[in-house]
Amino acid sequence: MAIPVVAQHLEEPGHLPNKGKVGMICLIIGESAIFSIFVLAYLFYIGKSQWGPQPKEVLEVPILNTVCLLSSSLTIWLSERAIEHNLLMTFTAWLGVTIALGSIFLVGTGWEWYKLIYHDGLALQTNLFGTTFYSLVGLHASHVIIGLIMLITLWLFAMTGHVSGKNSERIQTLALYWHFVDAVWVVVFAVVYVIGR
Amino acid sequence: MLHWMLKRSTFALRSARRLPVAAVLVGSLLFAASAWAENKPSPIPNMFAPVSTPAEQEFTMSMFVLGITLGILVVVGGSWAYVVAKYRSTDSSDVEPPQIYGSPQVELAWTIVPVVIVVVLFLTTARMIFSIQDHPRPKNALDITVVGHQFWWEYRYPQYGVVVANEMHVPMSTPGQVRPTFMKLQSADVWHSFWVPQLAGKVDNIPDHINDMWIDPHVPGVYVGQCGQFCGVEHAMMLIRVYVDTPDQFQRWITNQQQPGVEQPGAGQNTPQQVIRQQGGVVPTALELPANRSGAGSGASAGGGDQTGAGSAGQPMNQVVAGKQVFLQNACINCHAVQGTNANGRFGPNLTHFGSRDTLGSGIVVNNVDNLKAWIRNPSDLKEGALMPPMQLDETQLEQVSLYLTSLK
Amino acid sequence: MADASLPIGSLDLTPEALAEGTFREYLHGWVTTVDHKRLGILYVLYALFFLVVGGAEAMIIRVQLMYPDNHFVSPEVYNRMFTMHGTTMVFLMGMPLLFGFANYLVPLMIGARDMAFPRLNALSFWLTAFGGILLYYSFIGGFGLYGQGSAPDVGWFEYAPLTTRTYSQGHAVDFWALSLFVTGWGTLGAAINIITTTISMRCKGMTMMRIPLFCWLLLCTSALTLVAITPLTAAQVMLELDRYLGAHFFDTQAGGSALIWAHFFWIFGHPEVYILVLPAFGVANEIIPVFSRKPAFGYTAMVAASVGIVFISLGVWAHHMFTVGMTSAANAFFTLSTMIIAVPTGIKVFNWIATMWGGKLRFATPMLFAATFVVHFLLSGLTGIMLSASPWDWQLHNSYFVIAHFHYVLVGAIVFSMLAGIYYWFPKVTGRLMDEKLGKWHFWLFLIGFHLTFDFLHVPGILGMPRWVYTYEASRGWASWNMIASVGGFIQFLASGIFVWNLLYSGLHGAEAGPDPWDAWTLEWATSSPPPEYNFAVEPVVASRRPLWDLKHPSDTDTQYE
Ligand code: HEA
Ligand code: HEA
Ligand code: CUA
Ligand SMILES: [Cu+2]
């Protein structure tokens, strides 16, 4: 017996969207707003530093980093596809490649910062460029770190045999986040290394 | 059914009583508009009593918007009151009223009508914005740079090389002789806002941004206002006084301000207040010292009038000279400037013609010897959080320095 | 009739008896709970607690302003009071209250058994709670302007550069930024949960165009939260980078900009006020139809208007900044975008009146509050239109007229509507009715107090009284208006006392409510009061917007009209 009414011509209960994905999309929308504010600040302060190193003098375009991060979107998509078809080995392999590419990106960023700080003398406090540069790129890098931690956890689960095709939707949710991190990099890259330089 | 419904409330909800409640707001607004809306100097900074073109245009704007919104209130509020009165029901039977789910035509109508109203409102507003904000600057305009400081105002007259504090003088404009004042608004520290409602709406003083504002007051007298943006502990005591002088008076005032600060105890010159009084203007009662705010100045009191002169009249010149020494030998000169001496601090108000001001501490108390002593003894007694430290002078020094400063006419 | 005709009697839906056990176990149960209803109750209690705290601060403000040249509190304390009052009321009272309602009601209304992410839900609540405690800890742990004072004291919008290290030594500003940073994440979590629940957890037959309007409005609010709270979070991160790591975002001495903080704050701040008001609309949308005995007029238009408001409200923030010296074109643009909001909100007001038109209005306490909500919102919206006419706003900005405008919405509309909601759903939550007589006393006293305070505060605004002044001179002519406002404030305080008493008294001794005391139509009334942990013994199936109407009127169901 159902409460309250059963109508004769009741339409079939439609297939409701997966809640994990809806939640993740919401999170991504929220995070995008955070990034927009940092991007706005970056754009606003371009060229306003009165002293200290200027972007033109010290920034190098991180081609390798960009290639790595963007291709990691492709590899994680390959691993998503693999797990959908229950191909565990392929999944784990592509996931591993994704993690490796992400790590290269992080190391690259670390190296860039090291050079900027110790070689060019640009710190967060130095000038407005330093302030906006480290906070925007740092915000992105922190998202890469969070993403990597989750991917590595997933990879460990996969290695210990806790992942199967049934988890495919969850893995897609996680991959969504990684795609987001990559997409944000496109914006950051355009703002910092193209417009801002 | 509806057994849950309590017996009829003793507080009957009748439209007859409800409408007045809703109308209280509008009533008070109109009251405010009419009660003091005399367009002349007043201790009440009423925006509905404008004496300068921007304020007048803003007033016109406000009446226009008020009219339209009042119309909307009458129609929409009226239908609300009608519905509440008419369809109030105590019928506890089971009968449900007709179920109505909506009506596209009606809904379309009450979407379109507001759109039209909004368009009208917007066009009027936009015209007004451009007319006030983009007003061209005539060649003969007076320029003033207004700098907000934490809890006091600095006014620079670049055309005359004059710097004064806290009391701004501008010439009035008559139909025959229009001389508007154009101001550049700046801040030395945090965000402030310059607001004298009878003259013009407010414009902010922002540290990283220079703003413009203009006025052309038609009626001479003193206009009051105060800082319009929270700027720290004493935001409430960052008062503004604008003296609108006749062109002659203004000329005399500015010529005097251009002189270096020379001590003139008891000089027979009129204080601005007396000038205003001769013109039949109002001396704000704000000048009275609030009893509970003064530590020592209880002697100073009502009337606001003539003590400024009287306080120092008849004092022997040597006291004043001694005061000058005290002033120059203490830290005062690090923060204050008196033109013609080696005091050239910029942190505090310029004191070159301090004796010619009606008030001290950006308008919080009358400027007389007693209040001045209290101020220098400990500024926080009068204005907690003022950025001037207590100067640790002894009583004679206090007396002397106060006599000196008030003698700087 | 209502009770008997429902098939509920045949189900065993008696509330779970309070688990026998020690008080510690009971407490443990509440602290570790992931049940949406318990979390909803926690949110609401938390919000009511801070309503009292924020109200107490308001009373201190009103006592201080009662007379000119008053010295009841020092300027430093006064500054702390209005900062904490505004922050508390908006972040610790307003938002938790609306999330409490959402948590409790959304799953029930759409026929779900819980929220989409119960554990995230608990985390969100405790983050919010922690943020509130952190903020109030500042009274002990922080130091404000010039190293004096304790709690934050630079206004709820914390304009730069007053918040930089130079002008605000000590930790007061840090407490403000960090605690709201924490509650911000709680809020984000709650919003994600509400959106996901409404989208993914609906019961059979509950299409998007059938969910109660309350759920639609909560969906809109939550969507707005996603994009509006986060800019504040970002700006707070920048502020803390400035204060702790020496960055220069808002440091005007090193080329930073004070203006950009204002932009960031209001990009958050304006949508924030709509975040607060949309749920209030939602509550009115539930109560007005039930007490008019008619369906909501123009459901689709209401939905469209809500969505419209969400989008428009993202583009109007600079109406808080008409005096900062924007170009005349920018001023005109923001005037226009602000005024356009009147159109969708107007649709709502008209629809509420149309819902009542031709109905059978029963003025029980919830309806008293809901009906007055409509006029209050109308009036405050009209003063909002006055403010949006920028030339007039150059005068009114930061005057008591603005204070009156926004309290008219925040108290007259939102608090009224939320109180209506509490009177309306209290029987569902506790199984007991609130006392009508006390309710009426509360309503009338609060109404009178509210009007005394906020009607009359418009006037000193016109007479040039700025906000944030701890005192003023007698000659300014503001004294009597402030006196009236203060008296009104005390009456509100008294009324709130009656309300608190009513809550306690009725919670313990109120009349049994039964599952459906108001003869209402949405799903939450189909289960027992209070609902069992799993909400519905059998997953409900619906065929229209008013499932219980269909049930009660089998010959005249809603299904045929949709
Ligand atoms: C929930 C809260 C809430 C709501 C709903 C609103 C709604 C509105 N507000 Fe308000 N507002 C605040 C809370 C709110 N506000 C707060 C807190 C502040 C101050 C913050 C601070 O400085 O601390 C503020 C400040 C504020 C300002 C800045 C004032 C200043 O500081 O200078 C302005 C200026 O435009 C403004 C305008 C409006 C407008 C146009 C609306 C509109 O949405 C109103 C729309 C409604 C109607 C118009 C009525 C119904 C419509 C009809 C019946 C249709 C017909 C009408 C017409 C065609 C006009 N508000
Ligand atoms: C939802 C938001 C909200 C609410 C509900 C209120 C409610 C009230 N507010 Fe406030 N207010 C703000 C949001 C709100 N306010 C904001 C954002 C600001 C700006 C801050 C800033 O500029 O930084 C502000 C600022 C503000 C000012 C301006 C301060 C200034 O600029 O100097 C004033 C002055 O009168 C004021 C007064 C009041 C009053 C009298 C109430 C009353 O309605 C309060 C009534 C409620 C109570 C009285 C509840 C108390 C209940 C009890 C105590 C229960 C009793 C219990 C027992 C007896 C057991 N508020
Ligand atoms: Cu200066 Cu407020
Ligand atoms: Cu706004």
Side-chain angles (χ1 to χ4, degrees), chain B residues 175-195:
Chain B
Q177 194 185 2
V178 178
R179 188 175 185 207
T181 302
F182 274 66
M183 292 174 266
K184 292 239 170 287
L185 305 185
Q186 286 173 254
S187 163
D189 36 48
V190 301
W191 195 313
H192 306 273
S193 188
F194 187 85
W195 186 30

PDB file of all heavy atoms in Angstrom, chain B residues 175-195:
ATOM      1  N   PRO B 175      22.488  84.149  -8.478  1.00  0.00           N
ATOM      2  CA  PRO B 175      22.121  84.031  -9.889  1.00  0.00           C
ATOM      3  C   PRO B 175      23.034  84.884 -10.771  1.00  0.00           C
ATOM      4  O   PRO B 175      23.414  84.471 -11.867  1.00  0.00           O
ATOM      5  CB  PRO B 175      20.685  84.563  -9.925  1.00  0.00           C
ATOM      6  CG  PRO B 175      20.167  84.327  -8.566  1.00  0.00           C
ATOM      7  CD  PRO B 175      21.320  84.443  -7.625  1.00  0.00           C
ATOM      8  N   GLY B 176      23.440  86.044 -10.272  1.00  0.00           N
ATOM      9  CA  GLY B 176      24.295  86.886 -11.090  1.00  0.00           C
ATOM     10  C   GLY B 176      25.731  86.415 -11.116  1.00  0.00           C
ATOM     11  O   GLY B 176      26.441  86.586 -12.099  1.00  0.00           O
ATOM     12  N   GLN B 177      26.163  85.794 -10.027  1.00  0.00           N
ATOM     13  CA  GLN B 177      27.569  85.446  -9.921  1.00  0.00           C
ATOM     14  C   GLN B 177      27.682  83.999  -9.458  1.00  0.00           C
ATOM     15  O   GLN B 177      27.641  83.708  -8.268  1.00  0.00           O
ATOM     16  CB  GLN B 177      28.249  86.379  -8.917  1.00  0.00           C
ATOM     17  CG  GLN B 177      29.749  86.312  -8.986  1.00  0.00           C
ATOM     18  CD  GLN B 177      30.371  87.165  -7.898  1.00  0.00           C
ATOM     19  OE1 GLN B 177      29.670  87.760  -7.082  1.00  0.00           O
ATOM     20  NE2 GLN B 177      31.682  87.209  -7.862  1.00  0.00           N
ATOM     21  N   VAL B 178      27.833  83.108 -10.424  1.00  0.00           N
ATOM     22  CA  VAL B 178      27.912  81.693 -10.088  1.00  0.00           C
ATOM     23  C   VAL B 178      29.367  81.310  -9.934  1.00  0.00           C
ATOM     24  O   VAL B 178      30.164  81.473 -10.851  1.00  0.00           O
ATOM     25  CB  VAL B 178      27.251  80.836 -11.178  1.00  0.00           C
ATOM     26  CG1 VAL B 178      27.393  79.371 -10.839  1.00  0.00           C
ATOM     27  CG2 VAL B 178      25.792  81.207 -11.321  1.00  0.00           C
ATOM     28  N   ARG B 179      29.715  80.836  -8.739  1.00  0.00           N
ATOM     29  CA  ARG B 179      31.079  80.357  -8.569  1.00  0.00           C
ATOM     30  C   ARG B 179      31.037  79.030  -7.823  1.00  0.00           C
ATOM     31  O   ARG B 179      31.132  78.981  -6.601  1.00  0.00           O
ATOM     32  CB  ARG B 179      31.922  81.372  -7.803  1.00  0.00           C
ATOM     33  CG  ARG B 179      33.375  80.937  -7.812  1.00  0.00           C
ATOM     34  CD  ARG B 179      34.301  81.938  -7.194  1.00  0.00           C
ATOM     35  NE  ARG B 179      35.677  81.455  -7.369  1.00  0.00           N
ATOM     36  CZ  ARG B 179      36.658  81.764  -6.554  1.00  0.00           C
ATOM     37  NH1 ARG B 179      36.457  82.559  -5.532  1.00  0.00           N
ATOM     38  NH2 ARG B 179      37.860  81.270  -6.768  1.00  0.00           N
ATOM     39  N   PRO B 180      30.875  77.928  -8.564  1.00  0.00           N
ATOM     40  CA  PRO B 180      30.784  76.630  -7.892  1.00  0.00           C
ATOM     41  C   PRO B 180      32.131  76.223  -7.324  1.00  0.00           C
ATOM     42  O   PRO B 180      33.175  76.761  -7.696  1.00  0.00           O
ATOM     43  CB  PRO B 180      30.356  75.682  -9.003  1.00  0.00           C
ATOM     44  CG  PRO B 180      30.798  76.317 -10.253  1.00  0.00           C
ATOM     45  CD  PRO B 180      30.797  77.797 -10.026  1.00  0.00           C
ATOM     46  N   THR B 181      32.090  75.272  -6.412  1.00  0.00           N
ATOM     47  CA  THR B 181      33.300  74.722  -5.825  1.00  0.00           C
ATOM     48  C   THR B 181      33.459  73.302  -6.324  1.00  0.00           C
ATOM     49  O   THR B 181      32.519  72.504  -6.228  1.00  0.00           O
ATOM     50  CB  THR B 181      33.190  74.714  -4.293  1.00  0.00           C
ATOM     51  OG1 THR B 181      32.968  76.047  -3.862  1.00  0.00           O
ATOM     52  CG2 THR B 181      34.434  74.164  -3.669  1.00  0.00           C
ATOM     53  N   PHE B 182      34.599  73.008  -6.886  1.00  0.00           N
ATOM     54  CA  PHE B 182      34.879  71.645  -7.345  1.00  0.00           C
ATOM     55  C   PHE B 182      35.890  70.999  -6.424  1.00  0.00           C
ATOM     56  O   PHE B 182      36.959  71.540  -6.197  1.00  0.00           O
ATOM     57  CB  PHE B 182      35.373  71.652  -8.800  1.00  0.00           C
ATOM     58  CG  PHE B 182      34.237  71.641  -9.775  1.00  0.00           C
ATOM     59  CD1 PHE B 182      33.388  72.727  -9.857  1.00  0.00           C
ATOM     60  CD2 PHE B 182      33.993  70.541 -10.574  1.00  0.00           C
ATOM     61  CE1 PHE B 182      32.307  72.723 -10.731  1.00  0.00           C
ATOM     62  CE2 PHE B 182      32.920  70.523 -11.454  1.00  0.00           C
ATOM     63  CZ  PHE B 182      32.081  71.619 -11.536  1.00  0.00           C
ATOM     64  N   MET B 183      35.532  69.832  -5.923  1.00  0.00           N
ATOM     65  CA  MET B 183      36.394  69.201  -4.930  1.00  0.00           C
ATOM     66  C   MET B 183      37.004  67.919  -5.460  1.00  0.00           C
ATOM     67  O   MET B 183      36.367  67.171  -6.189  1.00  0.00           O
ATOM     68  CB  MET B 183      35.577  68.880  -3.683  1.00  0.00           C
ATOM     69  CG  MET B 183      35.127  70.112  -2.946  1.00  0.00           C
ATOM     70  SD  MET B 183      34.029  69.687  -1.603  1.00  0.00           S
ATOM     71  CE  MET B 183      32.458  69.868  -2.372  1.00  0.00           C
ATOM     72  N   LYS B 184      38.247  67.707  -5.079  1.00  0.00           N
ATOM     73  CA  LYS B 184      38.888  66.423  -5.322  1.00  0.00           C
ATOM     74  C   LYS B 184      38.945  65.722  -3.973  1.00  0.00           C
ATOM     75  O   LYS B 184      39.473  66.267  -3.009  1.00  0.00           O
ATOM     76  CB  LYS B 184      40.315  66.619  -5.832  1.00  0.00           C
ATOM     77  CG  LYS B 184      40.395  67.223  -7.201  1.00  0.00           C
ATOM     78  CD  LYS B 184      41.133  66.278  -8.146  1.00  0.00           C
ATOM     79  CE  LYS B 184      41.041  66.727  -9.592  1.00  0.00           C
ATOM     80  NZ  LYS B 184      39.702  66.509 -10.179  1.00  0.00           N
ATOM     81  N   LEU B 185      38.415  64.502  -3.928  1.00  0.00           N
ATOM     82  CA  LEU B 185      38.351  63.821  -2.639  1.00  0.00           C
ATOM     83  C   LEU B 185      39.429  62.751  -2.545  1.00  0.00           C
ATOM     84  O   LEU B 185      39.556  61.904  -3.426  1.00  0.00           O
ATOM     85  CB  LEU B 185      36.977  63.179  -2.452  1.00  0.00           C
ATOM     86  CG  LEU B 185      35.798  64.138  -2.598  1.00  0.00           C
ATOM     87  CD1 LEU B 185      34.504  63.441  -2.278  1.00  0.00           C
ATOM     88  CD2 LEU B 185      35.955  65.344  -1.713  1.00  0.00           C
ATOM     89  N   GLN B 186      40.189  62.821  -1.482  1.00  0.00           N
ATOM     90  CA  GLN B 186      41.273  61.864  -1.279  1.00  0.00           C
ATOM     91  C   GLN B 186      41.271  61.396   0.157  1.00  0.00           C
ATOM     92  O   GLN B 186      40.617  61.981   1.005  1.00  0.00           O
ATOM     93  CB  GLN B 186      42.623  62.542  -1.524  1.00  0.00           C
ATOM     94  CG  GLN B 186      42.945  62.795  -2.954  1.00  0.00           C
ATOM     95  CD  GLN B 186      44.222  63.615  -3.051  1.00  0.00           C
ATOM     96  OE1 GLN B 186      44.180  64.782  -3.348  1.00  0.00           O
ATOM     97  NE2 GLN B 186      45.351  62.981  -2.771  1.00  0.00           N
ATOM     98  N   SER B 187      42.043  60.375   0.422  1.00  0.00           N
ATOM     99  CA  SER B 187      42.179  59.940   1.801  1.00  0.00           C
ATOM    100  C   SER B 187      43.635  59.727   2.138  1.00  0.00           C
ATOM    101  O   SER B 187      44.417  59.279   1.305  1.00  0.00           O
ATOM    102  CB  SER B 187      41.419  58.634   2.024  1.00  0.00           C
ATOM    103  OG  SER B 187      41.867  58.041   3.220  1.00  0.00           O
ATOM    104  N   ALA B 188      43.990  60.068   3.362  1.00  0.00           N
ATOM    105  CA  ALA B 188      45.367  59.879   3.797  1.00  0.00           C
ATOM    106  C   ALA B 188      45.553  58.501   4.418  1.00  0.00           C
ATOM    107  O   ALA B 188      46.674  58.040   4.579  1.00  0.00           O
ATOM    108  CB  ALA B 188      45.750  60.940   4.815  1.00  0.00           C
ATOM    109  N   ASP B 189      44.477  57.857   4.811  1.00  0.00           N
ATOM    110  CA  ASP B 189      44.656  56.561   5.473  1.00  0.00           C
ATOM    111  C   ASP B 189      43.589  55.559   5.026  1.00  0.00           C
ATOM    112  O   ASP B 189      43.819  54.772   4.131  1.00  0.00           O
ATOM    113  CB  ASP B 189      44.678  56.723   6.999  1.00  0.00           C
ATOM    114  CG  ASP B 189      43.723  57.807   7.482  1.00  0.00           C
ATOM    115  OD1 ASP B 189      42.555  57.803   7.038  1.00  0.00           O
ATOM    116  OD2 ASP B 189      44.137  58.648   8.305  1.00  0.00           O
ATOM    117  N   VAL B 190      42.419  55.612   5.643  1.00  0.00           N
ATOM    118  CA  VAL B 190      41.407  54.611   5.317  1.00  0.00           C
ATOM    119  C   VAL B 190      40.264  55.269   4.552  1.00  0.00           C
ATOM    120  O   VAL B 190      40.332  56.426   4.175  1.00  0.00           O
ATOM    121  CB  VAL B 190      40.888  53.903   6.585  1.00  0.00           C
ATOM    122  CG1 VAL B 190      42.021  53.232   7.301  1.00  0.00           C
ATOM    123  CG2 VAL B 190      40.177  54.878   7.502  1.00  0.00           C
ATOM    124  N   TRP B 191      39.204  54.513   4.372  1.00  0.00           N
ATOM    125  CA  TRP B 191      38.075  54.930   3.555  1.00  0.00           C
ATOM    126  C   TRP B 191      37.187  55.895   4.362  1.00  0.00           C
ATOM    127  O   TRP B 191      36.757  55.554   5.461  1.00  0.00           O
ATOM    128  CB  TRP B 191      37.314  53.660   3.185  1.00  0.00           C
ATOM    129  CG  TRP B 191      36.323  53.738   2.107  1.00  0.00           C
ATOM    130  CD1 TRP B 191      35.360  54.684   1.947  1.00  0.00           C
ATOM    131  CD2 TRP B 191      36.167  52.819   1.023  1.00  0.00           C
ATOM    132  NE1 TRP B 191      34.617  54.414   0.828  1.00  0.00           N
ATOM    133  CE2 TRP B 191      35.084  53.276   0.245  1.00  0.00           C
ATOM    134  CE3 TRP B 191      36.818  51.661   0.633  1.00  0.00           C
ATOM    135  CZ2 TRP B 191      34.639  52.604  -0.894  1.00  0.00           C
ATOM    136  CZ3 TRP B 191      36.376  50.995  -0.490  1.00  0.00           C
ATOM    137  CH2 TRP B 191      35.298  51.460  -1.250  1.00  0.00           C
ATOM    138  N   HIS B 192      36.943  57.087   3.826  1.00  0.00           N
ATOM    139  CA  HIS B 192      35.990  58.018   4.434  1.00  0.00           C
ATOM    140  C   HIS B 192      34.968  58.431   3.377  1.00  0.00           C
ATOM    141  O   HIS B 192      35.067  58.020   2.229  1.00  0.00           O
ATOM    142  CB  HIS B 192      36.691  59.277   4.941  1.00  0.00           C
ATOM    143  CG  HIS B 192      37.837  59.021   5.871  1.00  0.00           C
ATOM    144  ND1 HIS B 192      37.684  58.869   7.216  1.00  0.00           N
ATOM    145  CD2 HIS B 192      39.165  58.887   5.632  1.00  0.00           C
ATOM    146  CE1 HIS B 192      38.869  58.656   7.772  1.00  0.00           C
ATOM    147  NE2 HIS B 192      39.781  58.655   6.829  1.00  0.00           N
ATOM    148  N   SER B 193      34.038  59.264   3.773  1.00  0.00           N
ATOM    149  CA  SER B 193      33.071  59.735   2.789  1.00  0.00           C
ATOM    150  C   SER B 193      32.606  61.129   3.188  1.00  0.00           C
ATOM    151  O   SER B 193      32.260  61.374   4.346  1.00  0.00           O
ATOM    152  CB  SER B 193      31.897  58.762   2.732  1.00  0.00           C
ATOM    153  OG  SER B 193      31.050  59.106   1.671  1.00  0.00           O
ATOM    154  N   PHE B 194      32.603  62.043   2.209  1.00  0.00           N
ATOM    155  CA  PHE B 194      32.293  63.439   2.485  1.00  0.00           C
ATOM    156  C   PHE B 194      30.811  63.682   2.249  1.00  0.00           C
ATOM    157  O   PHE B 194      30.328  63.547   1.141  1.00  0.00           O
ATOM    158  CB  PHE B 194      33.138  64.333   1.578  1.00  0.00           C
ATOM    159  CG  PHE B 194      33.022  65.798   1.886  1.00  0.00           C
ATOM    160  CD1 PHE B 194      33.804  66.368   2.873  1.00  0.00           C
ATOM    161  CD2 PHE B 194      32.134  66.598   1.193  1.00  0.00           C
ATOM    162  CE1 PHE B 194      33.709  67.725   3.167  1.00  0.00           C
ATOM    163  CE2 PHE B 194      32.018  67.949   1.487  1.00  0.00           C
ATOM    164  CZ  PHE B 194      32.810  68.509   2.470  1.00  0.00           C
ATOM    165  N   TRP B 195      30.103  64.044   3.287  1.00  0.00           N
ATOM    166  CA  TRP B 195      28.645  64.133   3.170  1.00  0.00           C
ATOM    167  C   TRP B 195      28.085  65.328   3.926  1.00  0.00           C
ATOM    168  O   TRP B 195      28.092  65.340   5.150  1.00  0.00           O
ATOM    169  CB  TRP B 195      27.996  62.843   3.683  1.00  0.00           C
ATOM    170  CG  TRP B 195      26.524  62.786   3.464  1.00  0.00           C
ATOM    171  CD1 TRP B 195      25.808  63.370   2.460  1.00  0.00           C
ATOM    172  CD2 TRP B 195      25.561  62.093   4.267  1.00  0.00           C
ATOM    173  NE1 TRP B 195      24.476  63.078   2.573  1.00  0.00           N
ATOM    174  CE2 TRP B 195      24.290  62.302   3.671  1.00  0.00           C
ATOM    175  CE3 TRP B 195      25.643  61.307   5.421  1.00  0.00           C
ATOM    176  CZ2 TRP B 195      23.118  61.745   4.203  1.00  0.00           C
ATOM    177  CZ3 TRP B 195      24.487  60.756   5.939  1.00  0.00           C
ATOM    178  CH2 TRP B 195      23.237  60.975   5.335  1.00  0.00           C
TER     179      TRP B 195
END
